Amino acid sequence: MIVPLREALKFWAKLGFISFGGPAGQIAVLHQELVEKRRWISERRFLHALNYCMLLPGPEAQQLVTYIGWLMHRTWGGVLAGTLFVLPSLFILIGLSWIYLTFGQVPWIAAIFFGIKPAVTAIVLHAAVRIGKRTIHNQVLRWIALGSFLAIFVFNLAFPIIVIFAAVMGIWGGKRYPEYFQQIATHDQLSGAHAPAWIDDHTPTPDHAKFSRKKLALHSSVVLVLWFIPLITLILIFGWKTLYPQIAWFFTKAAFLTFGGAYAVLPYVYQGAVDQFHWLSAGQMMDGLALGETTPGPLIMVVAFVGYLAGHIQHWIGNSNPFWFGVLGACVATWFTFLPSFFLVLIGGPLIESTHGKLSFTAPLTAISAAVVGVIANLGLFFAYHVFFPHGLGGSISWISIVITVLAGLALFRYQKGVISVLIGSALAGLLSHLLTTLLI
């Protein structure tokens, strides 16, 4: 059985519109479609690719799509698969971002976001617990997670510094106490017996997927050019210290620091976009995360929302139509966020394969994953503070927000409800609260 590139591209395009549910949901959809239904790839090869992507920084679901496309149809197959997975959510988020800024002050739309914000708080805390169960399996890793939480919560330490400290601890601990830094398989639930696949367990690795110094040099050069030319163009047009080159450089760094998936990048993006550059407010960041949760594609696409708002808001005054400045910001943020992901899969994949299973390589990543849990927990508490005390500690408490957060938490933790259903329910609760307040007044 040979799968034509055209047939594969039809599926990747379809996937870009149906991939709801965050990384876990998207990986489940991929497994169901590619392993169980279409038999394009076997169980073991699928998990092998997934383990690669879990080791890399960046959005693991998008990288998994890129990897499988690359394995099936060479470099262009991977590039097209990964791009089609991202494009629909980019267009959708640009449209939603425009609606958000244009009509966000309309009372009923504001009420929807009022209800969604507490749900986002519960979702982030739920993500911290879920990732913690997957990555923290001994006391040492628990201490690393706690240390990273205190480092950012008490000392406001920058996320990259926390990642570096965790990596150094992992390198040292992997040599001194290797038993605490062993990776444990977490994908047993995906196992099952199936008919032979196109890329089966014993199918030889294709030549294009094997390590080659020549290919490494060629592809690295291409990626460097694709990064360098847009950045230089933005600098020549706008100047180095202006918005768009800052967006490009900031999200390039973010792409290489997001060990642990999409939720791991949120603290870093928050620190930069809200605290450092003041591109948007804490409340707008939460609204963007909510929009990212409700649209298909990788959750890390919240960067498109951040880029759009940065461009639109900065050019609001003095321009009759700031929409296109927002579009440029969204496209720049998306390009420089995902280009490193393609690089790490298409160029780094064969290199990582040669070190797969070696503790000296996986130990620092295990420590980083534990540190990420503490950082995400801090982000959840920070969101909770802004939702529960919208006017600061000296202002009134939003009891309605607390109730919605508790109900959303129960739906996620106890009843295992999906993110979309929780957000819809919370949005309806926000609308109901607005209607009741209007009637009472």
Side-chain angles (χ1 to χ4, degrees):
M1 178 186 71
I2 297 177
V3 180
L5 177 60
R6 181 177 296 182
E7 181 182 344
L9 292 180
K10 287 181 180 179
F11 170 73
W12 300 130
K14 171 188 173 184
L15 182 68
F17 287 97
I18 64 171
S19 54
F20 292 92
Q26 291 157 3
I27 290 170
V29 169
L30 278 170
H31 181 269
Q32 183 181 29
E33 289 285 340
L34 301 183
V35 177
E36 297 178 3
K37 183 179 177 181
R38 300 172 187 268
R39 299 302 296 145
W40 287 359
I41 189 169
S42 70
E43 181 77 24
R44 287 186 181 179
R45 298 296 283 267
F46 180 88
L47 293 179
H48 191 58
L50 179 58
N51 286 334
Y52 280 166
C53 300
M54 294 293 289
L55 290 174
L56 297 174
E60 60 265 37
Q62 187 266 348
Q63 289 171 335
L64 180 60
V65 168
T66 304
Y67 183 92
I68 296 175
W70 165 64
L71 197 61
M72 291 172 58
H73 295 109
R74 308 177 70 86
T75 300
W76 274 112
V79 170
L80 292 172
T83 301
L84 289 172
F85 186 67
V86 170
L87 275 183
S89 57
L90 172 62
F91 293 136
I92 292 170
L93 272 173
I94 286 174
L96 290 176
S97 300
W98 176 79
I99 292 173
Y100 172 78
L101 283 181
T102 307
F103 303 105
Q105 299 304 314
V106 175
W108 68 271
I109 293 181
I112 289 176
F113 280 103
F114 173 81
I116 284 177
K117 287 179 183 178
V120 170
T121 302
I123 289 168
V124 172
L125 291 173
H126 181 252
V129 173
R130 190 177 68 248
I131 296 172
K133 288 180 178 179
R134 189 182 71 195
T135 58
I136 299 176
H137 43 79
N138 59 59
Q139 191 61 37
V140 171
L141 296 179
R142 293 189 188 97
W143 281 112
I144 292 175
L146 178 61
S148 71
F149 172 80
L150 294 176
I152 196 168
F153 183 78
V154 178
F155 301 104
N156 197 29
L157 206 62
F159 182 65
I161 297 176
I162 294 174
V163 169
I164 292 171
F165 270 112
V168 171
M169 189 174 297
I171 293 171
W172 175 81
K175 295 177 179 178
R176 193 75 181 269
Y177 305 102
E179 66 274 14
Y180 292 108
F181 293 88
Q182 299 281 356
Q183 289 192 328
I184 295 179
T186 58
H187 306 293
D188 295 338
Q189 71 274 15
L190 296 179
S191 60
H194 302 286
W198 178 37
I199 301 176
D200 212 355
D201 293 349
H202 303 293
T203 302
T205 301
D207 291 337
H208 69 268
K210 295 178 180 178
F211 176 73
S212 166
R213 292 180 184 271
K214 183 178 180 180
K215 288 182 180 178
L216 177 63
L218 176 63
H219 292 166
S220 298
S221 300
V222 171
V223 170
L224 186 62
V225 168
L226 292 175
W227 177 83
F228 188 75
I229 289 180
L231 180 61
I232 292 300
T233 302
L234 292 172
I235 293 172
L236 291 176
I237 294 175
F238 299 102
W240 166 243
K241 293 186 178 181
T242 56
L243 174 66
Y244 299 109
Q246 287 181 337
I247 291 176
W249 180 241
F250 174 73
F251 283 110
T252 296
K253 292 186 292 182
F256 285 105
L257 293 169
T258 56
F259 291 95
Y263 283 103
V265 76
L266 295 178
Y268 181 74
V269 171
Y270 179 87
Q271 280 189 333
V274 178
D275 292 336
Q276 181 181 355
F277 295 108
H278 307 291
W279 291 334
L280 68 171
S281 67
Q284 289 172 331
M285 184 69 191
M286 294 181 67
D287 292 337
L289 180 56
L291 291 177
E293 292 276 12
T294 54
T295 54
L299 179 59
I300 201 175
M301 282 304 298
V302 69
V303 303
F305 176 85
V306 173
Y308 182 90
L309 259 65
H312 189 120
I313 292 173
Q314 188 167 112
H315 296 87
W316 207 324
I317 300 174
N319 288 280
S320 58
N321 188 8
F323 170 77
W324 293 110
F325 291 99
V327 171
L328 178 59
C331 292
V332 170
T334 302
W335 178 267
F336 286 93
T337 296
F338 283 95
L339 184 62
S341 289
F342 286 105
F343 170 79
L344 291 170
V345 172
L346 300 177
I347 283 72
L351 296 174
I352 292 175
E353 185 173 0
S354 65
T355 57
H356 186 66
K358 293 184 179 180
L359 186 63
S360 59
F361 181 77
T362 60
L365 297 179
T366 300
I368 290 172
S369 297
V372 162
V373 174
V375 175
I376 296 173
N378 171 76
L379 183 70
L381 291 180
F382 187 87
F383 281 174
Y385 167 76
H386 280 277
V387 170
F388 300 161
F389 302 94
H391 305 291
L393 290 175
S396 58
I397 299 175
S398 177
W399 293 105
I400 297 176
S401 296
I402 294 176
V403 171
I404 294 175
T405 301
V406 171
L407 293 176
L410 284 173
L412 290 166
F413 284 97
R414 182 164 184 176
Y415 298 104
Q416 306 297 313
K417 296 296 183 181
V419 168
I420 299 297
S421 59
V422 170
L423 287 171
I424 291 174
S426 300
L428 292 175
L431 275 175
L432 180 62
S433 169
H434 171 67
L435 291 174
L436 290 176
T437 302
T438 303
L439 291 174
L440 290 175
I441 293 176

